[in-house]
């Protein structure tokens, strides 16, 4: 799946401030709402948290992909962030999470939802990518990560 259709540079942050799972997810939902990508942040947040109650989306090695399907969006929408501090996410490996990709997908497009989950997972598990993003600085610019840096890294691997 070509993730350039689902993620916008405005939907990426290098500084998630939340101190727990709910706060980080709420931050990413609000980012999507502020950028006009989702209509009702409270409903989206509720749907994502209900999905988290079924099973944590902390997939391991410091990465989580909270997600939901809803009739409120027409296309797969992704927000991505790096946590300022690693947080407990009830991950399958019990490790704290530093990288979070939030997916909001149309209820009727299960295939696109699964492809987006797989695409983000593939990028983050590409050798060296996760490790680069864990570093407080972009190893190529030797400066703090920017949304533009993260976007270019994600898109170059999609």
């Amino acid at each position: 799946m070509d993730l350039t259709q689902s993620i916008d540079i405005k939907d990426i942050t290098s500084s998630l401030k939340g101190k727990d799972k709910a706060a980080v997810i709420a931050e990413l939902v609000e980012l999507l709402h502020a950028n006009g990508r989702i209509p009702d942040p409270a409903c989206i947040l509720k749907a994502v948290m209900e999905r988290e109650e079924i099973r944590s989306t902390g997939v391991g090695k410091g990465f989580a992909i909270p997600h939901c399907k809803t009739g409120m969006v027409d296309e797969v929408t992704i927000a991505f962030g790096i946590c300022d501090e690693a947080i407990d996410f009830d991950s399958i490996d019990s490790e704290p999470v530093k990288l979070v990709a939030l997916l909001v997908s149309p209820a009727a497009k299960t295939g696109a939802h699964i492809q987006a989950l797989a695409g983000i997972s593939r990028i983050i598990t590409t050798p060296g990518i996760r490790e680069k993003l864990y570093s407080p600085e972009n190893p190529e610019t030797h400066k703090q990560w920017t949304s533009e840096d993260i976007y270019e890294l994600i898109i170059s691997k999609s």
Side-chain angles (χ1 to χ4, degrees), residues 56-72:
S56 175
T57 56
V59 296
K61 299 196 186 275
F63 181 53
I65 314 174
H67 57 273
C68 72
K69 292 187 283 182
T70 177
M72 299 177 71

Side-chain angles (χ1 to χ4, degrees), residues 16-107:
L16 288 169
K17 305 287 185 209
K19 301 293 184 198
D20 60 32
K21 179 195 317 195
V24 165
I25 292 171
E27 231 177 301
L28 289 171
V29 166
E30 190 52 46
L31 182 63
L32 289 175
H33 177 67
N35 292 326
R37 306 266 285 156
I38 59 170
D40 187 340
C43 285
I44 299 294
L45 180 59
K46 182 177 184 243
V48 173
M49 295 311 293
E50 285 173 355
R51 168 59 187 84
E52 282 297 317
E53 287 176 18
I54 295 169
R55 184 173 181 190
S56 175
T57 56
V59 296
K61 299 196 186 275
F63 181 53
I65 314 174
H67 57 273
C68 72
K69 292 187 283 182
T70 177
M72 299 177 71
V73 297
D74 295 325
E75 299 298 328
V76 175
T77 303
I78 301 171
F80 185 86
I82 301 174
C83 298
D84 285 349
E85 296 177 21
I87 60 166
D88 180 23
F89 216 91
D90 301 317
S91 298
I92 60 171
D93 63 359
S94 300
E95 293 296 320
V97 163
K98 184 87 171 151
L99 308 174
V100 183
L102 171 71
L103 256 65
V104 180
S105 301

